[in-house]
Amino acid sequence: MDYIRDNKLKAAPHYIVLVQESIRLAGEVQHTLEDAEEDASGVVCIQLSERAKELGLVVR
């Protein structure tokens, strides 16, 4: 949007709406990927912890 404004480009209203929607969806995808990464990290930590217990590497 800044590019259009800065370069004084003419854009049809529907184009502007599509760009705004694309930006919004990109943000949602980024948040989803961040959540998935956190979930995957948590699963890996749990699996490592369980395996360490199985191998007797964890002393309580």
Side-chain angles (χ1 to χ4, degrees):
M1 297 308 301
D2 291 336
Y3 180 82
I4 293 170
R5 188 174 30 258
D6 293 346
N7 293 290
K8 297 180 175 61
L9 299 176
K10 292 184 180 178
H14 70 278
Y15 176 75
I16 292 171
V17 169
L18 289 174
V19 170
Q20 290 171 333
E21 183 67 11
S22 296
I23 292 168
R24 185 187 66 75
L25 289 173
E28 287 184 25
V29 168
Q30 180 179 354
H31 287 298
T32 300
L33 291 173
E34 289 169 355
D35 290 347
E37 182 179 10
E38 288 175 11
D39 291 348
S41 295
V43 169
V44 169
C45 288
I46 292 169
Q47 290 173 336
L48 288 173
S49 175
E50 290 175 356
R51 186 65 180 141
K53 288 176 189 173
E54 290 172 5
L55 295 173
L57 300 174
V58 177
V59 178
R60 292 187 181 206

